Structure formats: structure tokens, C-alpha cells
Amino acid sequence: MTIPRRSWRGAGAFAAAAVVGLAGGVISAAPAAAHTPTWVVTCSDVSVDLTAYSSDVANVVTVSVVGGKELLPATTFGREFHTKTPLQLPPHDKELTVRLVVKAGDNEKFSRDLTKQAPVCEDSTPTPTPTETKPTEPPATQTPEPSETATEAAPAPAKSSPSAPDLAETGSSSATPVIGGAAIAVLLAGGGILWSVRKRRSAQH
């Protein structure tokens, strides 16, 4: 059985068309895959990596917190863009919605407007406010009452023993005025005798 040449020609043309169509699909799909941005959102920061963009046009990227802080203002880049240091998220006690906007300068269909959720960090939970404790007043100390037993136990002053010898008298005794009066009387008597003797002698002469 002989296959006509026209059939072979038709089959070859169909195969060639299929190959061209497949190659065209791969070529058209390659730029779309190349323009897909890569970014990572954690509880504390955001990292962005954009590669294989067109260097012949101006591309713009923006990162922000929805309803809050702008983490990366509109920045123009060429073929690639990378965050040198992660973009720091503000402190938060609930999930944040982070938005990434990429505007491709070569074609609007390569632009992206994406969002991701930033969870709450475990160590960012607010610590409870410590309650103020009032200082306790020290208990009042009671003055101890003097012990009666201690008073009773105090030794009584020692009494002088009757058998102890009297101490020698160092001062004047009660007989001193009597002796002084007798001495004066003797002096007066002597003076009177002397006066009477002189009177007699003067009378004899």
C-alpha cells in the first residue's frame, strides 16, 4: 500500500505548526515567570527580591502596611531589586496586612499588587502592668513593764554590824565649848589676881 505524497506533506505541516505554537507558548510564558516577585513576610520584617525585569524601562516597587506605616516608599529599579536589609515592621499585638505593589514599565500585565499577613511575634506580647503594693506598717512595739520579781530580787543595803569598832573622831567633839569657857575663866581670874597684887604694891609705897 502506497501513501500519497500529499498526506505526508500535510502531516509535516501540522507537526511544524505544533512545534512553532509550543515554542511560542514557552517564549510568551517565560517573561511572565521572570516577572514574578519573591518576598518573605515574618512577624518582624519584610524581605523583597525582584529579578529578570526589563532594564530598558523604569519599574517601581512599594511596600506598606495596610492602613498604617509605609515601609518602602515608591522606588524605581531596573532589571533587579533587592532589600539590602529587611524592612522592619512596627510593633504589633495583632496580625498586620503587608502590601507589595510592583509596576512593570514594559507591560501592565506584569505588574503585581499582593498582600501577606505578618503574625504576632511571641516575645511582643505586652507584659502585665505590675500592681502597686502598699508598704505594710510594722507592728507597734510594746514597752516591757518592769518586772516585780527583779525589784524584789534587788539586794537590800547592808546594815552596819553593832560589833564593828567605832571610827576615830577626827573633828571637834561636844566638850570643846566647855574647855574653851574654862580657859577664858582662868584667864580672867589670873588677870584679876595680877591687878589686885599691883594695887597692893602701889598702896604700900
Side-chain angles (χ1 to χ4, degrees):
M1 180 177 174
T2 303
I3 300 175
R5 291 183 179 179
R6 292 182 179 178
S7 299
W8 283 104
R9 291 177 180 176
F14 178 78
V19 171
V20 172
L22 180 60
V26 171
I27 294 173
S28 62
H35 285 72
T36 301
T38 302
W39 63 312
V40 178
V41 178
T42 66
C43 69
S44 60
D45 53 51
V46 180
S47 299
V48 179
D49 292 300
L50 308 177
T51 58
Y53 279 78
S54 176
S55 59
D56 298 332
V57 295
N59 307 297
V60 181
V61 57
T62 305
V63 182
S64 61
V65 176
V66 176
K69 180 181 179 181
E70 187 176 45
L71 304 179
L72 178 66
T75 303
T76 303
F77 67 98
R79 182 175 180 80
E80 296 181 357
F81 173 83
H82 306 281
T83 50
K84 296 180 180 179
T85 57
L87 305 174
Q88 297 298 316
L89 290 170
H92 53 282
D93 55 2
K94 60 181 179 180
E95 287 189 349
L96 296 179
T97 302
V98 183
R99 182 185 181 189
L100 170 67
V101 178
V102 180
K103 293 182 178 181
D106 52 350
N107 196 322
E108 186 63 27
K109 69 179 181 180
F110 300 134
S111 298
R112 295 290 183 269
D113 191 342
L114 307 173
T115 57
K116 285 187 178 183
Q117 299 298 319
V120 178
C121 296
E122 294 181 359
D123 57 352
S124 64
T125 304
T127 56
T129 304
T131 56
E132 296 182 358
T133 57
K134 296 182 179 180
T136 57
E137 297 181 358
T141 57
Q142 296 180 353
T143 305
E145 297 180 357
S147 175
E148 295 180 358
T149 57
T151 305
E152 294 177 358
K159 295 181 179 180
S160 59
S161 174
S163 61
D166 295 334
L167 297 176
E169 295 182 358
T170 58
S172 60
S173 64
S174 59
T176 300
V178 177
I179 295 172
I184 294 172
V186 171
L187 291 175
L188 293 175
I193 295 172
L194 182 61
W195 178 77
S196 61
V197 171
R198 288 180 177 180
K199 189 176 181 181
R200 287 178 183 179
R201 287 179 180 180
S202 60
Q204 289 177 3
H205 289 290

